[in-house]
Coordinates of all heavy atoms in Angstrom, one line a residue:
L880 N -40.1 239.7 252.5 CA -40.3 238.3 252.6 C -41.5 238.0 253.5 O -42.3 237.2 253.2 CB -39.0 237.7 253.3 CG -37.8 237.5 252.4 CD1 -36.6 237.2 253.2 CD2 -38.1 236.4 251.3
I881 N -41.6 238.7 254.6 CA -42.7 238.5 255.6 C -44.0 238.9 254.9 O -45.0 238.2 254.9 CB -42.5 239.2 256.9 CG1 -41.3 238.6 257.6 CG2 -43.8 239.3 257.7 CD1 -40.8 239.4 258.8
G882 N -44.0 240.1 254.3 CA -45.3 240.6 253.7 C -45.7 239.7 252.5 O -46.9 239.4 252.4
G883 N -44.8 239.3 251.7 CA -45.2 238.4 250.6 C -45.7 237.0 251.1 O -46.7 236.5 250.6
G884 N -45.1 236.5 252.2 CA -45.6 235.3 252.8 C -47.0 235.4 253.4 O -47.8 234.5 253.2
I885 N -47.2 236.5 254.1 CA -48.6 236.8 254.6 C -49.6 236.9 253.5 O -50.7 236.3 253.6 CB -48.6 238.0 255.5 CG1 -47.8 237.7 256.8 CG2 -50.0 238.5 255.8 CD1 -47.6 238.9 257.7
E886 N -49.2 237.6 252.4 CA -50.1 237.7 251.3 C -50.5 236.3 250.7 O -51.7 236.1 250.4 CB -49.4 238.6 250.2 CG -50.3 239.0 249.1 CD -49.6 240.0 248.2 OE1 -48.6 240.7 248.6 OE2 -50.1 240.2 247.1
I887 N -49.5 235.5 250.6 CA -49.8 234.1 250.0 C -50.6 233.3 251.1 O -51.5 232.6 250.7 CB -48.5 233.4 249.7 CG1 -47.8 234.1 248.5 CG2 -48.7 231.9 249.4 CD1 -46.3 233.7 248.3
R888 N -50.3 233.4 252.3 CA -50.9 232.7 253.4 C -52.4 232.9 253.5 O -53.2 232.1 253.7 CB -50.3 233.0 254.7 CG -51.0 232.7 256.0 CD -51.1 231.2 256.3 NE -51.8 230.9 257.5 CZ -53.1 230.8 257.7 NH1 -53.9 231.1 256.7 NH2 -53.6 230.5 258.9
F889 N -52.9 234.2 253.2 CA -54.3 234.5 253.4 C -55.1 234.5 252.1 O -56.2 234.9 252.1 CB -54.4 235.9 254.0 CG -54.1 236.0 255.5 CD1 -52.9 236.1 256.0 CD2 -55.2 235.8 256.4 CE1 -52.6 236.1 257.4 CE2 -55.0 235.8 257.7 CZ -53.7 235.9 258.2
V890 N -54.5 234.0 251.0 CA -55.1 234.0 249.7 C -56.5 233.3 249.7 O -57.4 233.8 249.0 CB -54.2 233.5 248.6 CG1 -54.1 232.0 248.7 CG2 -54.6 233.9 247.3
R891 N -56.7 232.3 250.5 CA -57.9 231.5 250.4 C -58.9 232.1 251.5 O -60.1 231.8 251.4 CB -57.7 230.1 250.7 CG -57.0 229.4 249.6 CD -57.0 227.9 249.7 NE -56.1 227.2 248.8 CZ -56.4 226.9 247.5 NH1 -57.6 227.2 247.1 NH2 -55.5 226.3 246.8
S892 N -58.5 232.9 252.4 CA -59.4 233.3 253.5 C -59.8 234.8 253.4 O -60.5 235.3 254.2 CB -58.7 233.0 254.9 OG -57.6 233.8 255.0
R893 N -59.3 235.5 252.4 CA -59.7 236.9 252.2 C -60.2 237.0 250.8 O -59.8 236.3 249.8 CB -58.5 237.8 252.4 CG -57.9 237.8 253.8 CD -58.9 238.2 254.8 NE -58.4 238.3 256.1 CZ -58.4 237.4 257.1 NH1 -58.9 236.2 256.8 NH2 -57.9 237.6 258.3
S894 N -61.1 238.0 250.6 CA -61.8 238.2 249.3 C -60.9 238.8 248.3 O -59.9 239.5 248.6 CB -63.0 239.0 249.5 OG -62.7 240.4 249.7
L895 N -61.2 238.5 247.0 CA -60.4 239.0 245.9 C -60.6 240.6 245.9 O -59.7 241.3 245.6 CB -60.8 238.4 244.6 CG -60.1 238.9 243.4 CD1 -58.6 238.6 243.5 CD2 -60.6 238.2 242.1
R896 N -61.8 241.0 246.3 CA -62.0 242.5 246.4 C -61.1 243.1 247.3 O -60.5 244.2 247.1 CB -63.5 242.7 246.8 CG -63.9 244.1 246.8 CD -65.3 244.2 247.1 NE -65.7 245.6 247.1 CZ -66.9 246.1 247.3 NH1 -67.8 245.3 247.6 NH2 -67.1 247.4 247.3
T897 N -60.9 242.5 248.5 CA -59.9 243.1 249.5 C -58.5 243.1 248.9 O -57.9 244.2 249.0 CB -60.0 242.2 250.8 OG1 -61.3 242.3 251.4 CG2 -58.9 242.7 251.8
Y898 N -58.1 242.0 248.3 CA -56.8 242.0 247.7 C -56.6 243.0 246.6 O -55.6 243.7 246.6 CB -56.5 240.6 247.2 CG -55.8 239.6 248.1 CD1 -56.6 238.6 248.7 CD2 -54.5 239.7 248.4 CE1 -56.0 237.7 249.6 CE2 -53.9 238.8 249.3 CZ -54.7 237.9 249.9 OH -54.1 237.0 250.7
T899 N -57.6 243.2 245.8 CA -57.5 244.1 244.7 C -57.4 245.5 245.2 O -56.5 246.3 244.7 CB -58.8 244.0 243.8 OG1 -58.9 242.6 243.3 CG2 -58.7 244.9 242.6
R900 N -58.2 245.9 246.2 CA -58.1 247.3 246.7 C -56.7 247.5 247.4 O -56.1 248.5 247.1 CB -59.2 247.5 247.8 CG -60.5 247.6 247.2 CD -61.5 247.8 248.3 NE -62.8 248.1 247.8 CZ -63.9 248.3 248.5 NH1 -63.9 248.2 249.8 NH2 -65.1 248.5 247.9
L901 N -56.2 246.5 248.1 CA -54.9 246.7 248.7 C -53.8 246.8 247.7 O -52.8 247.6 247.8 CB -54.6 245.5 249.7 CG -55.5 245.6 251.0 CD1 -55.3 244.3 251.8 CD2 -55.2 246.8 251.8
M902 N -53.9 245.9 246.7 CA -52.8 245.9 245.7 C -52.9 247.2 244.8 O -51.8 247.7 244.5 CB -53.0 244.7 244.8 CG -52.6 243.4 245.5 SD -53.0 241.8 244.7 CE -52.6 242.0 243.0
I903 N -54.0 247.7 244.6 CA -54.1 249.0 243.8 C -53.5 250.1 244.7 O -52.7 250.9 244.1 CB -55.6 249.4 243.5 CG1 -56.1 248.4 242.3 CG2 -55.7 250.8 243.1 CD1 -57.6 248.5 242.1
G904 N -53.8 250.2 245.9 CA -53.2 251.2 246.8 C -51.7 251.0 246.9 O -50.9 252.0 246.8
Y905 N -51.2 249.8 247.1 CA -49.8 249.5 247.2 C -49.1 249.9 246.0 O -48.1 250.6 246.0 CB -49.6 248.0 247.5 CG -48.2 247.6 247.7 CD1 -47.7 247.4 249.0 CD2 -47.3 247.3 246.7 CE1 -46.4 247.0 249.3 CE2 -46.0 246.9 246.9 CZ -45.6 246.8 248.2 OH -44.3 246.4 248.4

Side-chain angles (χ1 to χ4, degrees):
L880 286 165
I881 293 168
I885 289 172
E886 192 171 341
I887 294 165
R888 161 70 176 84
F889 282 87
V890 75
R891 294 191 190 273
S892 64
R893 298 301 187 263
S894 73
L895 183 56
R896 183 178 182 180
T897 297
Y898 270 103
T899 301
R900 287 180 174 176
L901 289 173
M902 287 168 45
I903 288 170
Y905 183 98

